[in-house]
Amino acid sequence: MLSGKHILIGIGGGIAVYRVAELARLLIKQGAIVRCVMTSAACEFVTPMTFEALTGETVHTELFNLTAERQMGHIQLARWADILLVAPTTANLIAKFSHGICDNLLTTLFQVCEAPVLLASAMNVSMWESTTTQRNVKALKAQGIHFTGPEPGQLACGEEGPGRMSEPETLMEAMRPLLQPQRLSGQRWLINAGPTWESWDDVRILTNRASGKLGASMADAVAALGAETILVAGPGTPPTSTLVQRHNIGSAQEMLTACEQEAGSTAVFVATAAVSDYRFSEPEEGKLKRKDKARITVTLDANEDIVAHIAGLPNRPRKIIAFAAEHSNHIEHARNKLRAKSADAIFANDISGMGENDAAGWWVTPKQEEQLSRMPKQQLAVRLIEQIMGMD
Ligand SMILES: Cc1cc2nc3c(=O)[nH]c(=O)nc-3n(C[C@H](O)[C@H](O)[C@H](O)COP(=O)(O)O)c2cc1C
C-alpha cells in the first residue's frame, strides 16, 4: 500500500519532531517516496539536514524561495503528494489551518492540498483541551481533515494526559486507508454498535450477545473511505482505527444521548447496535443481597427506540439504516420495522450471527430486498456500505 506512494510530511515545531525522523525512515523502508516541509519552529528542534539525509530529498522550509518559486514550488509540492501528513501538528498549526492562514510554506501547502490530510497532533494537555483548540479541531474534522492522537501518557513537560504524538507504526496504519480513493470525503457518518448494559445494581446487568464486530468494521471501512466517522460503541465493541471518533457508552439511555448529540449534519446514521428494549425501573446502588425466596419479580421500563427518535429529529440524517436481529420471517419483520422506525433501509440479520465472526441477512428497502449470504463481518461491512452508497 505504501510502496511508490508520495508522502509529504509537514513537520511542526513540537518536541515530538525527533520521532518523525524514525517515521520517515520506516516509510522509506516500505518503499514510499518521502518529502519534508519544516516550519521555522521545527528547525529549532532538529535541523533539515536530518531529514535530507534520511529521505535523499531536499527539505523545504521557505515559502519565499526564488529557485523553487520560479516553478510555483508550493503548488507543485501539494500536487505531488498522495497524502499530507503533518507531524507533529502543533496547536499553532491547528489554529492556522482552521482559519485559512497561509503565512509560511506548510500553512500555504495545507490550503492548496487536495490530497487527504492526516494531522498527528501532539501538545501539552491543557493546550489540547483548551476551548480554542477543540473548536479548531472540530472545524477541521467537519472539513474532512483526519486526526490521530494525541495519545494519553507521560508528556515531555512532565504532565500526564492526552498529548503524545501517535507512534510511527500507528501513523503508518492510519495513513494506509487514506491512500485509497476517498469516496466518502466531506460526509459525516454516525454508527452505533455493540450491546448495551442496563444496571440492576452496581454488579448485575441486563445485556445481550451482540459483539459490536460488524459496527466496528463498518466504522473502520467508512473512515478509510474518507468520511468523518463517529462511532457510539457499547461495551466490548472491538477497537477501531484512530480515524474513527469514538464514544464508549454503557446503557441504552447513554447511547441515545450520544447519538442525539452527534446526529446533526450527518449524511448517514447506521444503527447496528443491539440496544436493550428495557431497563430496570429501580436500579439499586451497591450489591443487592440474595433474597431467601424461590421467585422474585423485578419491574422494567421500556427504553426509547433510538432509530425512531433520531428519525424524528428536525435535523434528521439524510439516510437511516437500521439493523434487526430476527430468528424467523426476517423480511416481513424488516418491512414492519422500516415503517415503524421511519428508516430508509433495514438489514435483517439472523440471530445466529450474533457475537460470531460471520453473518448473513436481508437488505430491505421500500423498493428492494436482497439476500446477502453468510460472510465474514469485515466483508459484510464493505458490502453494506456499497448498498448504502447505492441508495442515492
Ligand atoms: C521546548 C518546546 C516544546 C514545544 N512543544 C510543543 C508541542 O509539543 N506542541 C505544540 O503545539 N507546541 C509546542 N511548543 C510551542 C511551539 O513550538 C510554538 O507554538 C511554535 O510557534 C509552533 O510553530 P509551528 O506551529 O509553526 O511549528 C513547544 C515550544 C518549546 C519551546
Side-chain angles (χ1 to χ4, degrees):
M1 177 58 83
L2 291 168
S3 177
K5 294 291 179 194
H6 290 180
I7 299 181
L8 183 58
I9 310 183
I11 305 171
I15 195 73
V17 175
Y18 72 97
R19 292 167 66 211
V20 183
E22 175 66 0
L23 172 70
R25 197 188 64 78
L26 289 173
L27 286 169
I28 287 163
K29 218 169 138 194
Q30 300 263 327
I33 304 157
V34 178
R35 289 186 182 166
C36 297
V37 170
M38 296 177 76
T39 64
S40 57
C43 298
E44 296 285 335
F45 290 86
V46 174
T47 66
M49 180 71 77
T50 305
F51 292 99
E52 287 217 3
L54 282 169
T55 62
E57 299 268 349
T58 307
V59 171
H60 305 265
T61 54
E62 288 163 36
L63 179 59
F64 300 104
N65 177 312
L66 272 183
T67 325
E69 286 309 314
R70 227 180 293 130
Q71 287 105 26
M72 285 290 177
H74 65 285
I75 311 252
Q76 277 186 350
L77 260 180
R79 299 285 175 261
W80 173 87
D82 291 319
I83 187 168
L84 169 62
L85 166 73
V86 183
T89 306
T90 58
N92 180 52
L93 284 171
I94 288 175
K96 287 183 181 176
F97 291 158
S98 68
H99 286 85
I101 294 171
C102 304
D103 63 345
N104 63 34
L105 181 57
L106 180 53
T107 50
T108 310
L109 269 173
F110 176 86
Q111 292 301 324
V112 179
C113 189
E114 285 170 8
V117 179
L118 178 64
L119 304 184
S121 32
M123 64 198 71
N124 166 274
V125 191
S126 308
M127 275 173 113
W128 173 251
E129 287 176 349
S130 79
T131 315
T132 343
T133 302
Q134 286 306 309
R135 194 175 53 222
N136 294 336
V137 168
K138 201 169 165 201
L140 287 168
K141 282 184 176 168
Q143 234 175 279
I145 304 300
H146 301 279
F147 279 79
T148 91
E151 314 283 350
Q154 182 85 44
L155 308 182
C157 55
E159 293 181 17
E160 213 143 333
R164 291 173 62 81
M165 192 177 82
S166 303
E167 292 297 328
E169 290 77 9
T170 312
L171 289 175
M172 295 212 297
E173 278 314 305
M175 255 188 280
R176 267 180 236 279
L178 298 178
L179 290 161
Q180 291 179 22
Q182 299 290 284
R183 290 159 65 202
L184 297 178
S185 161
Q187 290 191 21
R188 178 182 161 89
W189 285 47
L190 170 64
I191 299 174
N192 69 14
T196 54
W197 281 5
E198 305 304 320
S199 296
W200 185 9
D201 62 16
D202 290 342
V203 178
R204 300 170 179 96
I205 52 166
L206 172 67
T207 187
N208 58 64
R209 296 178 203 276
S211 64
K213 287 176 191 165
L214 183 58
S217 296
M218 286 190 82
D220 278 342
V222 161
L225 290 170
E228 181 191 0
T229 309
I230 295 104
L231 177 69
V232 179
T237 300
T240 33
S241 107
T242 55
L243 300 175
V244 174
Q245 299 165 49
R246 180 170 172 142
H247 300 272
N248 291 324
I249 55 84
S251 68
Q253 283 178 311
E254 286 167 11
M255 185 168 273
L256 173 72
T257 307
C259 288
E260 187 174 7
Q261 273 168 4
E262 293 288 358
S265 340
T266 295
V268 182
F269 173 40
V270 188
T272 74
V275 182
S276 178
D277 292 326
Y278 291 95
R279 65 178 180 276
F280 290 93
S281 307
E282 289 165 1
E284 304 269 348
E285 279 183 13
K287 182 171 179 261
L288 282 164
K289 286 275 163 261
R290 185 190 166 93
K291 297 190 171 54
D292 196 16
K293 289 180 183 172
R295 173 174 293 165
I296 59 163
T297 308
V298 287
T299 325
L300 302 175
D301 287 333
N303 279 323
E304 191 167 353
D305 185 316
I306 295 181
V307 174
H309 180 85
I310 299 291
L313 293 175
N315 55 353
R316 176 195 198 278
R318 274 195 283 117
K319 291 181 210 164
I320 296 184
I321 320 305
F323 279 54
E326 305 288 354
H327 70 278
S328 61
N329 301 331
H330 300 77
I331 297 175
E332 189 190 325
H333 288 307
R335 292 231 162 272
N336 292 339
K337 282 196 174 167
L338 205 52
R339 276 187 296 274
K341 291 175 185 269
S342 302
D344 301 292
I346 298 265
F347 183 62
N349 50 321
D350 193 80
I351 54 165
S352 62
M354 262 189 135
E356 300 295 323
N357 291 329
D358 300 337
W362 287 261
W363 173 257
V364 182
T365 70
K367 293 186 245 158
Q368 182 201 2
E369 53 201 52
E370 188 178 336
Q371 186 167 10
L372 301 182
S373 56
R374 202 166 190 89
M375 63 183 100
K377 285 183 176 169
Q378 281 172 336
Q379 197 182 330
L380 182 59
V382 174
R383 273 297 304 275
L384 290 170
I385 292 163
E386 294 291 339
Q387 296 285 81
I388 299 168
M389 287 163 74
M391 286 169 78
D392 289 325

